[in-house]
Amino acid sequence: SYDVTQPPSVSVSPGQTAIITCSADRLGDKYASWYQQKPGQSPVLVIYEDTKRPSGIPERLSGSNSGHTATLTISGTQAMDEADYYCLVWDSITAAVFGGGTKLTVL
Amino acid sequence: EVQVVESGGGLVQPGGSLRLSCAASGFTFASYSMNWVRQAPGKGLEWVSYISSSGNTKQYADSVKGRFTMSRDNAKNSLDLQMNSLRDEDTAVYFCVRDSGTSRYFDYWGQGTLVTVSS
């Protein structure tokens, strides 16, 4: 199986930068996408093709992917950014694999 | 406006069967691959299955392979997930999700339908 690892939780103070990582073997050779899920809601796509933002997603959310790690960066974190975040990677054998999810807490 | 709406969830006994449906609108359904993703209570997202735009290619997670079957009717803009031999661990909210295509990201999600497997 293809394992995709995220930290279970990340905490950040309002206005600071939150960094959420997603690690997997040769992840930089694949595309990663990121999803935000707030309690009781469906996930929302926030980053696709490693770095691109869908329409309506704030510029303070950005992504990168290199080597074995994809990263979601939230600059100037706001209370509204508090949510669970999941990365998604497609593997040629396993098909789609989600990371375990990271709970972002804005203290 | 793109919409995908799931239906068919409910309570079923272990070993039983259930059929989920997804109605799509606001886009050319026949041009897009689709997926089912589930989320057990309090847990993370788990990809379940994929079907190509034509329906000719299907993929399943190991956890459901041989028990779940995904199908689509492009004339009716609809998607189905037939779930057989259900287990307690299949209890989850099931989301119908549009696949972007080549880059394989999920751009539109339904609101989900809850499946509870319990005696």
Side-chain angles (χ1 to χ4, degrees), chain A residues 31 33 35 37 41-45 48-49 86 88 90 92-100, chain B residues 35 37 39 43-47 50 59-60 95 99 102-107 109-112:
Chain A
Y31 275 135
S33 53
Y35 303 83
Q37 186 180 33
Q41 298 182 18
S42 300
V44 173
L45 175 70
Y48 66 99
E49 293 180 358
Y86 297 89
L88 170 67
W90 279 85
S92 59
I93 297 175
T94 313
V97 184
F98 284 99
Chain B
N35 295 266
V37 174
Q39 186 170 37
K43 302 297 184 182
L45 301 174
E46 179 188 15
W47 171 79
Y50 158 90
Q59 290 177 290
Y60 299 93
F95 297 99
D99 192 308
T102 305
S103 300
R104 312 310 301 274
Y105 56 89
F106 297 162
D107 54 2
W109 296 64
Q111 84 288 349

Side-chain angles (χ1 to χ4, degrees), chain B residues 82-103:
Chain B
Q82 177 66 42
M83 305 185 295
N84 298 330
S85 303
L86 283 162
R87 306 167 180 168
D88 290 351
E89 55 264 35
D90 295 318
T91 294
V93 173
Y94 285 73
F95 297 99
C96 174
V97 187
R98 194 179 84 166
D99 192 308
S100 66
T102 305
S103 300

Side-chain angles (χ1 to χ4, degrees), chain B residues 10-100:
Chain B
L11 175 64
V12 61
Q13 292 187 337
S17 298
L18 204 61
R19 190 176 186 90
L20 304 183
S21 295
C22 173
S25 61
F27 65 101
T28 305
F29 182 70
S31 297
Y32 286 87
S33 302
M34 299 292 294
N35 295 266
W36 288 96
V37 174
R38 69 184 181 183
Q39 186 170 37
K43 302 297 184 182
L45 301 174
E46 179 188 15
W47 171 79
V48 173
S49 60
Y50 158 90
I51 189 167
S52 62
S53 56
S54 65
N56 290 338
T57 300
K58 303 175 188 181
Q59 290 177 290
Y60 299 93
D62 287 345
S63 57
V64 307
K65 201 172 293 183
R67 301 187 298 121
F68 289 14
T69 302
M70 193 173 180
S71 60
R72 67 188 295 160
D73 185 336
N74 285 344
K76 295 182 178 179
N77 292 351
S78 68
L79 191 68
D80 285 339
L81 184 67
Q82 177 66 42
M83 305 185 295
N84 298 330
S85 303
L86 283 162
R87 306 167 180 168
D88 290 351
E89 55 264 35
D90 295 318
T91 294
V93 173
Y94 285 73
F95 297 99
C96 174
V97 187
R98 194 179 84 166
D99 192 308
S100 66

